[in-house]
Amino acid sequence: MRKDAVYSAPVNSRALIATLLAIASLPCRAADAPPDKYLPLVRAHLDKVLTAGVDAVGPDHTAMWLAGIDVRKGGQPAAPKPLRPRWYRDINSPRGSNLYWDQSTLVAALEISRLTADTKYKAAVDRYLADFFAQCVSKETGLFYWGNHAYYDVFADKPVQFEGGYHEIRPHTPAWDVLWAADPAKTERAIRAIAAGHVKDPKTGLFCRHAAPDGKKTGAAKPFLEAGGPIVQSLCWLASKKPGGDADLVDLAVRVAKYSFDRRGETTGLLRNQPVDKRWDYFAATTESGVWAVALLRAADLSGRAELRDMARAAVAAYLKYGWDDAAGLYFGQLDIDAGQPKTPPAKREYMPARYALLFDSFTFPTHNYPMSMAEACVTLYAQTRDDQFRLAITHWVTHVRTSLKQADEQKTVGYAEEYGRTIRFLTRAARALNDPAPLELARDVAARAVRDLHVPDAAMFRTHPGEDRADAVDGVGLLFLALIELDTGKELDLRGMSF
């Protein structure tokens, strides 16, 4: 089509919109990608979800969104699991729906409704949540069937459980504000059930990443940082909703946080990924402490408890002290708890981070590798303290991103939606924190890469990982959308109720 054809030939409004969207979605770099061109792409993707990504199979249909969507044909992908699964087991919720992984997309949909004054997105979220609360809440405890061990099977029309069927919320804190708006009673019951089911010893704060929806015991405690942070933040969030607060909930949250903090390395101050089983993650600190710190910083804002902020600050400062490799321009992926020296995993990494905190990690999750969460913690800590160690860390993390992007170009690596989203959001926050436009330009470059690598123009949707035309909720497409919304609007969203 000639450049002037759009203007010289009469076209109907739908054709014009489709043409403009196609132009906006062409693969591009930061130099030719204006920062206000992403909202139409996000909106078009959500439009497709609302029409072709909702449970329409099995005897009973619901308004819950599919955990996996064929971006070209709509509906369930032909294969239940991706060719390149991001998580082990059935965490991608094959042939199902999983609100835990959809929450960030729901938050993005609500923001699109607000920005465009189009109520259909909010209405779709409301219907989804209504059906979730009707179908996916344990009658015994009030815990939800979601996360890493349960989901709703849209073919069988019921929740299914696997690998123990536990309740587990890691590594993201749920978007409790959204759930509360839909059903405050069931949301409160669920969080109190988290306190009862996940915290194994309220006196010491010993917690476990697992709780049983039926209330039965779950065996030995597995206190991973990426589970402890969301538990702490969730308890403080609920306390903030009660008139006058809830001191008992906050006190419990502080004890849960201290359980991890008090078992850090005596010499280094580094946090153990878990302080119980003496395997690799007992002796190693990783950027997972950034997930924990982000959650504690938000819990401190919610509760007013300074000790939560102090613990987060000390944990991040310890990692920064030992973690930066100036020669490589990268942060290390794991550090020895006692010596602070970098650790190199064996060839068969299993769940370990690589030597460096890879921005685009092709290993099957969990790898306990969260570089952008640690970077986010540094931005927040600098904003709160103006401490130069965190300012320097922000500049190092920007360098880490640049080095990682160069490596990705050399190795022709394409990331998952969440990786692009978290990187964009860190860079936009870094630009504001440093009062420096360079990280913002880099954020625009990463956004252009995300469109180039993941957007499918003729389908008007984003694939969420390379090699397949499918959108999987577990890949974090909602986190990409939130970052693109922030990049377009130039305004930081208030996401204190969730860990992003």
Side-chain angles (χ1 to χ4, degrees):
M1 180 182 292
R2 301 189 319 274
K3 182 178 180 181
D4 61 347
V6 174
Y7 305 98
S8 62
V11 295
N12 62 42
S13 59
R14 287 188 177 182
L16 178 57
I17 291 172
T19 300
L20 292 174
L21 283 174
I23 293 171
S25 63
L26 289 173
C28 51
R29 306 299 294 173
D32 59 6
D36 58 351
K37 294 299 184 183
Y38 300 112
L39 291 179
L41 303 186
V42 174
R43 190 173 185 180
H45 181 104
L46 293 172
D47 287 342
K48 191 79 170 282
V49 171
L50 269 53
T51 57
V54 178
D55 170 20
V57 298
D60 299 323
H61 298 175
T62 73
M64 288 187 271
W65 299 354
L66 302 177
I69 303 172
D70 186 316
V71 302
R72 294 190 180 277
K73 298 178 181 179
Q76 291 279 341
K81 291 187 177 184
L83 293 174
R84 179 187 170 189
R86 191 178 188 215
W87 287 81
Y88 65 164
R89 301 194 303 235
D90 285 344
I91 294 175
N92 73 298
S93 310
R95 310 280 189 192
S97 176
N98 197 325
L99 177 61
Y100 185 70
W101 301 117
D102 266 332
Q103 288 173 93
S104 56
T105 309
L106 267 61
V107 174
L110 291 172
E111 185 63 15
I112 290 293
S113 253
R114 189 188 69 80
L115 290 170
T116 64
D118 190 335
T119 60
K120 71 181 178 183
Y121 305 106
K122 183 180 184 305
V125 171
D126 291 343
R127 291 192 299 270
Y128 185 153
L129 293 174
D131 281 349
F132 176 85
F133 280 121
Q135 301 285 349
C136 298
V137 180
S138 166
K139 292 182 174 60
E140 288 82 3
T141 64
L143 290 170
F144 298 157
Y145 293 108
W146 66 356
N148 295 326
H149 294 273
Y151 61 93
Y152 182 80
D153 187 320
V154 298
F155 286 85
D157 298 319
K158 64 179 182 181
V160 297
Q161 298 169 264
F162 58 95
E163 294 291 335
Y166 305 117
H167 180 270
E168 186 173 19
I169 49 172
R170 68 176 178 112
H172 310 306
T173 302
W176 294 121
D177 286 313
V178 175
L179 299 171
W180 181 271
D183 195 320
K186 288 182 179 177
T187 301
E188 178 169 353
R189 186 184 179 210
I191 297 175
R192 292 195 181 279
I194 288 171
H198 283 273
V199 183
K200 304 306 179 182
D201 185 347
K203 293 182 179 180
T204 66
L206 172 64
F207 66 94
C208 181
R209 76 186 209 223
H210 293 151
D214 60 6
K216 295 179 181 178
K217 293 183 179 181
T218 56
K222 301 178 185 300
F224 290 2
L225 290 175
E226 61 183 357
I231 292 170
V232 170
Q233 186 178 347
S234 297
L235 300 184
C236 289
W237 181 91
L238 179 58
S240 75
K241 302 299 288 187
K242 312 308 290 182
D246 187 321
D248 289 340
L249 274 178
V250 175
D251 287 344
L252 179 59
V254 171
R255 290 194 296 273
V256 170
K258 282 178 63 62
Y259 184 85
S260 298
F261 187 73
D262 289 348
R263 286 154 181 80
R264 66 197 184 279
E266 293 183 5
T267 302
T268 62
L270 293 166
L271 263 63
R272 303 178 193 275
N273 266 38
Q274 61 81 23
V276 173
D277 297 327
K278 293 190 176 180
R279 56 190 192 184
W280 77 269
D281 46 359
Y282 178 90
F283 300 100
T286 78
T287 51
E288 187 170 314
S289 54
V291 175
W292 185 84
V294 167
L296 262 65
L297 290 169
R298 291 178 179 170
D301 289 342
L302 291 163
S303 67
R305 295 290 287 269
E307 60 263 54
L308 292 170
R309 184 173 293 108
D310 292 343
M311 285 187 276
R313 179 177 182 173
V316 172
Y319 203 92
L320 299 178
K321 179 178 179 180
Y322 299 101
W324 177 245
D325 185 341
D326 196 53
L330 292 166
Y331 276 97
F332 290 114
Q334 54 177 315
L335 301 170
D336 182 270
I337 285 290
D338 296 318
Q341 294 298 312
K343 295 167 69 75
T344 300
K348 188 178 180 181
R349 277 173 53 195
E350 295 182 340
Y351 307 131
M352 303 180 193
R355 179 171 175 81
Y356 293 103
L358 296 178
L359 198 60
F360 305 114
D361 195 352
S362 60
F363 242 64
T364 301
F365 274 38
T367 56
H368 301 278
N369 176 54
Y370 297 101
M372 290 297 93
S373 293
M374 180 67 81
E376 285 268 350
C378 293
V379 176
T380 300
L381 284 164
Y382 180 65
Q384 293 177 349
T385 67
R386 313 312 290 180
D387 188 326
D388 281 343
Q389 68 174 317
F390 300 120
R391 180 182 178 88
L392 178 61
I394 296 171
T395 65
H396 283 165
W397 279 115
V398 172
T399 299
H400 184 100
V401 172
R402 292 188 187 279
T403 303
S404 299
L405 293 174
K406 181 180 179 182
Q407 292 178 347
D409 287 340
E410 293 170 351
Q411 300 168 11
K412 295 181 169 48
T413 301
V414 175
Y416 289 88
E418 178 177 348
E419 294 170 319
Y420 289 115
R422 287 192 178 279
T423 303
I424 294 165
R425 186 161 202 264
F426 158 67
L427 291 168
T428 57
R429 293 191 70 211
R432 285 191 289 269
L434 300 175
N435 194 25
D436 180 0
L440 182 59
E441 288 304 309
L442 188 56
R444 291 171 178 161
D445 178 69
V446 176
R449 288 168 180 262
V451 171
R452 179 195 68 192
D453 294 339
L454 300 179
H455 190 251
V456 184
D458 57 342
M461 289 192 83
F462 285 82
R463 62 171 69 93
T464 57
H465 61 266
E468 296 180 90
D469 286 335
R470 58 184 293 155
D472 289 293
V474 76
D475 290 343
V477 68
L479 300 179
L480 172 60
F481 290 167
L482 290 171
L484 293 177
I485 289 170
E486 288 189 335
L487 188 60
D488 266 9
T489 62
K491 297 180 179 179
E492 185 174 337
L493 297 173
D494 182 359
L495 301 175
R496 286 174 294 177
M498 58 187 296
S499 58
F500 176 60

